[in-house]
Amino acid sequence: MSSESEEQHDLSPRDSAEGNDSPSSGIHLEPQEESSTDLKQFETNDQCRPYSRIHIERQEKANTNFKEFVITKLQKNCQCSPAKAKNIIFGFFPVLQWLPKYNLKKNILGDLMSGLIVGILLVPQSIAYSLLAGQEPIYGLYTSFFASIIYFLLGTSRHISVGIFGVLCLMIGEVVDREVHKAGYDTARIASPSGVFSNGSTLLNQTSDMICDKSCYAIIVGSTVTFMAGVYQVVMGFFQVGFVSVYLSDALLSGFVTGASFTILTSQVKYLLGLSLPRSNGVGSLITTWVHIFKNIHKTNLCDLITSLLCLLVLVPTKELNEHFKSKLKAPIPTELIVVVAATLASHFGKLNENYNSSIAGHIPTGFMPPKAPDWKLIPNVAVDAIAICVIGFAITVSLSEMFAKKHGYTVRANQEMYAIGFCNIIPSFFHCFTTSAALAKTLVKESTGCQTQLSGVVTALVLLLVLLVIAPLFYSLQKSVLGVITIVNLRGALRKFRDLPKMWRVSRVDTVIWFVTMLSSALLSTELGLLVGVCFSMFCVILRTQKPKNSLLGLVEESEIFESTSAYKNLQTKQGIKIFRFVSPLYYINKECFKSALYKKTVNPVLVKAAQRKAAKRKIKEETVTLGRLQDEISVQLSHDPLELHTIVIDCSAIQFLDTAGIHTLKEVRRDYKAIGIQVLLAQCNPSVRDSLTRGEYWEKEEENLLFYSVYEAMAFAVGSQNQKGICVPNGLSLSSD
């Protein structure tokens, strides 16, 4: 028996009735192989053995004046002292707590190595994911740079890497393309000095002297969406509503990321083939994109296709080798950077753009642009889109933070993580950036290369700063097909989830179905609708589980006070005339009928019994041709109380988490119906919430409060004792007296 079970048994053996279903207990039960059971009966005596009742006296709650309570709270929260101000500042900037205690000798090497490696990997990925978000390459570098710095100041996780994330880039790109199309940039060709296209669509001014072109408008849309997503995240952190992430289960997130990966892959195929296609948006965009690809496949640029195939042949095997030998390698081989450098040199010296019309990245400026506020006029257009981006961003960040914190034995503050990721979006949105979050692949690289603290994020930012100030223009000749290949190769992790489906199916079929529904809806409908469908379906599955929950009759494990299901285990003892029923679910309006039907099926249906008794009484009356009304009533009463074998039903409430009004009414109805045929109903092992609900719902009269039992064994002993009181026992549980 486990130490926990032993401690509970020593304290109060009566309290351990059903709460211990764990097979790790000291009692070893043999599971039932067939539905039929060979049950042993208790040895019965004329008098049941004495069993003392458990009595617990309630604490008296002090009467609190609401006005005084509010005033006290306000005084406590509004008081300002140097110590409180220091705690607030240190809590909001965790770097002030750990940086002064930084162990330079122990941590600096690992932080330098991991920061350098992640920075090198981020350069090609930032450029590649910029295309996915519908932006110029420079904006991806900006985004990764600012996110690394801000999370270093505000984050509580030591290991996660915050920056660009493929799924969020896809969602940003869909919003950007929609707004760009609405503004008329996809159809316009020539801009007049007045800032109006030849087709009449109005442009936005970047400054008083420059006209805002398509690239400029795209980053305005992207930064506005990012700003709104960050505001949502900070507001959610302020009101501590991070519980929203509870609705995004692991199966749902995994399915969503896999479904979005198909959309990402599809969006990059045109770069691999060198096709110039409009980006499809809305429901069914994946299918529409493939239709456009096959319609225009004869226009494939052979130079881009050959480059894509060569890059795939290099990247895929080397990525596999990196993963296979990651335990032996001190740092992963930066294959992506090597491919980018080689492809850029080949494109530049081979003049692939001039000779073969290959699509290239183009001019990437150095330095930073002046900060600019988001476009407030665009907020109504993108406010709804930012909600889904906000939820996905903080859910992934918080889940990864907690996962790595648990792995390395420290704690993170989920609320502070929401603040951190929120400000990683709000502040960079003024510097031409788009939405960021934690990313699993880069976090794994960061951890495996010796990261100890977020100081590695500063090293990563310095690498990106070097690229932004000096190296960025050298990527001018880099083919977009190479960037598309890098994006697709990084989707391998999400697409590999298909290999885990057999194991997931064995563990939980419901989670597997949720995964499939979310994945298919995210891929075939759209990312936003896919997320909404996944959440709704997941909640529906929860409701479905409670609508038809498991239920069973219980028997006593020999030489113990533990009860288990008679349909699952052999050699359980049952007491004649007593049925013990367990219902594994909250009892509320959705499953109240299921509760009643299951209880009636496992025991007896009081409605049918009552009807049968009345029918038998009438038949008997007719046979004896009794005509006197008084005699008829006496016979009817006598026949309606014919004894039954069952006299007590004990309902094990240990698995009933809560009751609503409908649940309380159902218990009252069940008790009344059984009482009408001479069967008493006892409740056992109710948690405090259920007990309070029963009290408020007036389930019992004042003198009947002792009919609530702290263990199933205690309830069964009471039932036996109630049948033997005064030395008179009747089969239906009613004590008869001369008066």
Side-chain angles (χ1 to χ4, degrees):
M1 181 177 291
S2 65
S3 59
E4 182 180 354
S5 300
E6 289 176 356
E7 183 179 353
Q8 291 176 351
H9 190 272
D10 291 339
L11 290 175
S12 178
R14 305 172 186 83
D15 292 342
S16 59
E18 172 46 31
N20 193 354
D21 282 344
S22 172
S24 64
S25 63
I27 299 168
H28 301 283
L29 303 178
E30 182 180 356
Q32 180 71 300
E33 297 178 359
E34 300 178 0
S35 59
S36 62
T37 56
D38 181 20
L39 302 176
K40 292 175 63 178
Q41 303 293 327
F42 275 135
E43 295 180 1
T44 58
N45 302 319
D46 291 338
Q47 299 289 334
C48 66
R49 71 180 180 91
Y51 194 89
S52 58
R53 290 295 305 277
I54 299 173
H55 297 286
I56 299 179
E57 187 175 354
R58 281 182 172 270
Q59 287 275 12
E60 293 185 5
K61 294 183 179 179
N63 294 327
T64 305
N65 186 290
F66 181 73
K67 182 179 179 180
E68 293 178 357
F69 174 78
V70 172
I71 293 174
T72 304
K73 279 287 184 182
L74 289 175
Q75 288 177 345
K76 181 179 179 182
N77 293 328
C78 294
Q79 285 179 349
C80 186
S81 64
K84 188 173 183 180
K86 180 181 177 182
N87 290 335
I88 292 174
I89 295 173
F90 276 53
F92 191 74
F93 294 98
V95 66
L96 299 177
Q97 297 180 7
W98 61 264
L99 190 58
K101 304 174 185 176
Y102 186 80
N103 190 328
L104 191 66
K105 185 177 181 180
K106 180 180 178 182
N107 299 330
I108 189 63
L109 185 60
D111 285 341
L112 284 175
M113 178 64 72
S114 62
L116 182 64
I117 296 297
V118 172
I120 291 171
L121 294 177
L122 268 177
V123 172
Q125 288 186 16
S126 299
I127 297 173
Y129 283 170
S130 298
L131 302 181
L132 190 58
Q135 309 295 340
E136 293 297 319
I138 189 65
Y139 300 125
L141 295 170
Y142 287 161
T143 301
S144 296
F145 170 77
F146 282 106
S148 299
I149 292 292
I150 295 171
Y151 190 81
F152 161 75
L153 299 173
L154 301 178
T156 59
S157 173
R158 303 174 190 171
H159 294 87
I160 67 169
S161 174
V162 174
I164 51 175
F165 180 56
V167 175
L168 293 183
C169 290
L170 172 68
M171 298 172 77
I172 288 286
E174 291 175 345
V175 179
V176 167
D177 285 345
R178 185 192 68 207
E179 295 301 319
V180 165
H181 180 74
K182 285 169 63 177
Y185 285 93
D186 289 344
T187 56
R189 289 292 178 269
I190 302 172
S192 66
S194 61
V196 179
F197 278 126
S198 57
N199 66 351
S201 61
T202 304
L203 292 178
L204 298 175
N205 290 327
Q206 185 177 12
T207 66
S208 58
D209 301 322
M210 298 179 60
I211 300 299
C212 186
D213 59 4
K214 180 178 178 180
S215 170
C216 167
Y217 189 71
I219 192 57
I220 288 175
V221 175
S223 61
T224 305
V225 178
T226 299
F227 175 79
M228 287 305 301
V231 169
Y232 289 150
Q233 288 165 342
V234 170
V235 169
M236 292 173 72
F238 180 78
F239 289 103
Q240 299 186 1
V241 290
F243 65 86
V244 176
S245 62
V246 172
Y247 295 100
L248 304 179
S249 63
D250 292 340
L252 187 148
L253 279 175
S254 175
F256 172 76
V257 172
T258 303
S261 297
F262 282 107
T263 306
I264 294 172
L265 187 150
T266 301
S267 69
Q268 299 302 297
V269 169
K270 64 180 181 181
Y271 296 116
L272 271 64
L273 300 177
L275 299 176
S276 179
L277 301 175
R279 187 166 183 167
S280 300
N281 291 312
V283 177
S285 59
L286 182 138
I287 298 174
T288 306
T289 303
W290 280 107
V291 170
H292 287 321
I293 289 172
F294 283 112
K295 281 184 178 180
N296 295 274
I297 200 166
H298 61 281
K299 300 178 182 178
T300 299
N301 187 305
L302 290 178
C303 179
D304 284 334
L305 179 61
I306 293 172
T307 302
S308 302
L309 292 175
L310 290 174
C311 291
L312 282 171
L313 289 175
V314 173
L315 282 174
V316 173
T318 51
K319 284 275 190 179
E320 293 294 330
L321 289 173
N322 265 341
E323 291 189 9
H324 187 71
F325 294 104
K326 63 182 179 181
S327 59
K328 299 180 180 179
L329 294 173
K330 292 184 177 180
I333 302 171
T335 314
E336 293 171 338
L337 186 64
I338 295 172
V339 168
V340 165
V341 172
T344 303
L345 293 174
S347 176
H348 175 73
F349 291 106
K351 298 182 178 180
L352 301 183
N353 177 247
E354 294 84 349
N355 297 335
Y356 304 102
N357 197 29
S358 178
S359 179
I360 59 175
H363 176 63
I364 303 177
T366 57
F368 292 90
M369 298 181 181
K372 184 179 181 181
D375 188 353
W376 311 119
K377 295 179 182 179
L378 276 173
I379 288 178
N381 297 350
V382 301
V384 176
D385 301 288
I387 295 174
I389 294 172
C390 152
V391 172
I392 289 296
F394 89 73
I396 291 175
T397 302
V398 171
S399 60
L400 284 179
S401 299
E402 292 178 344
M403 181 176 73
F404 283 92
K406 184 178 180 181
K407 181 177 179 181
H408 291 276
Y410 63 93
T411 58
V412 295
R413 289 182 284 134
N415 209 51
Q416 180 62 26
E417 287 297 296
M418 292 176 66
Y419 281 130
I421 198 64
F423 283 105
C424 280
N425 289 323
I426 291 177
I427 297 174
S429 68
F430 290 84
F431 294 91
H432 313 281
C433 301
F434 48 89
T435 313
T436 59
S437 76
L440 178 60
K442 291 184 283 293
T443 301
L444 289 172
V445 171
K446 193 172 181 178
E447 180 208 27
S448 64
T449 51
C451 172
Q452 301 295 324
T453 69
Q454 279 300 329
L455 192 65
S456 62
V458 177
V459 179
T460 298
L462 291 175
V463 174
L464 294 169
L465 183 64
L466 178 65
V467 174
L468 283 167
L469 296 179
V470 180
I471 304 175
L474 301 179
F475 294 110
Y476 175 87
S477 299
L478 177 62
Q479 293 171 269
K480 289 185 178 180
S481 59
V482 178
L483 301 177
V485 170
I486 291 173
T487 302
I488 290 175
V489 169
N490 283 309
L491 299 176
R492 294 173 307 120
L495 298 178
R496 280 176 178 171
K497 293 294 182 181
F498 284 97
R499 298 193 307 190
D500 300 332
L501 289 181
K503 182 180 179 180
M504 188 188 297
W505 179 260
R506 289 193 299 269
V507 174
S508 174
R509 297 185 179 184
V510 175
D511 283 348
T512 310
V513 174
I514 291 173
W515 188 93
F516 261 109
V517 169
T518 308
M519 185 271 295
L520 291 174
S521 57
S522 300
L524 300 179
L525 298 178
S526 67
T527 49
E528 291 86 356
L529 280 178
L531 179 63
L532 180 62
V533 169
V535 171
C536 293
F537 184 75
S538 180
M539 296 176 67
F540 172 75
C541 289
V542 173
I543 294 173
L544 196 64
R545 286 178 175 181
T546 62
Q547 189 174 9
K548 291 188 176 180
K550 293 183 179 180
N551 57 84
S552 60
L553 290 178
L554 305 182
L556 184 65
V557 179
E558 191 174 2
E559 297 182 357
S560 76
E561 297 180 4
I562 297 175
F563 290 82
E564 288 291 353
S565 171
T566 57
S567 61
Y569 297 99
K570 295 180 178 180
N571 303 324
L572 299 180
Q573 299 176 342
T574 59
K575 179 68 176 175
Q576 186 176 6
I578 302 175
K579 296 280 188 182
I580 303 170
F581 177 76
R582 178 203 288 159
F583 189 71
V584 188
S585 170
L587 180 54
Y588 63 126
Y589 69 98
I590 289 179
N591 60 14
K592 61 177 183 177
E593 293 301 325
C594 176
F595 171 81
K596 288 176 61 176
S597 61
L599 179 61
Y600 292 168
K601 185 178 179 181
K602 297 286 187 182
T603 57
V604 294
N605 190 327
V607 179
L608 297 180
V609 170
K610 189 68 176 177
Q613 289 176 344
R614 289 176 178 174
K615 187 175 181 180
K618 290 180 180 180
R619 188 186 305 115
K620 188 69 174 178
I621 292 170
K622 288 181 180 179
E623 290 176 357
E624 296 181 359
T625 63
V626 178
T627 57
L628 295 176
R630 183 174 179 182
L631 182 57
Q632 181 178 348
D633 291 340
E634 291 176 357
I635 295 174
S636 176
V637 171
Q638 179 182 355
L639 292 174
S640 65
H641 285 82
D642 285 343
L644 299 171
E645 291 185 1
L646 181 64
H647 60 75
T648 302
I649 293 175
V650 178
I651 300 178
D652 177 12
C653 301
S654 60
I656 299 179
Q657 292 93 345
F658 65 86
L659 298 172
D660 69 350
T661 306
I664 297 171
H665 179 74
T666 301
L667 288 177
K668 287 182 178 181
E669 186 179 344
V670 165
R671 185 185 181 193
R672 183 182 64 248
D673 290 345
Y674 277 116
K675 186 177 181 180
I677 62 172
I679 297 176
Q680 64 177 347
V681 176
L682 307 178
L683 304 183
Q685 294 194 168
C686 300
N687 64 48
S689 172
V690 172
R691 290 200 297 269
D692 291 342
S693 298
L694 292 172
T695 302
R696 290 193 300 268
E698 299 179 349
Y699 173 75
W700 49 63
E701 301 294 335
K702 189 172 183 180
E703 63 275 5
E704 295 175 335
E705 290 183 0
N706 63 338
L707 295 182
L708 196 62
F709 299 89
Y710 289 97
S711 72
V712 177
Y713 195 93
E714 183 186 18
M716 186 187 67
F718 177 86
V720 174
S722 66
Q723 295 306 111
N724 295 336
Q725 59 181 324
K726 296 184 180 180
I728 303 175
C729 296
V730 292
N732 66 352
L734 297 178
S735 298
L736 304 181
S737 61
S738 58
D739 48 271

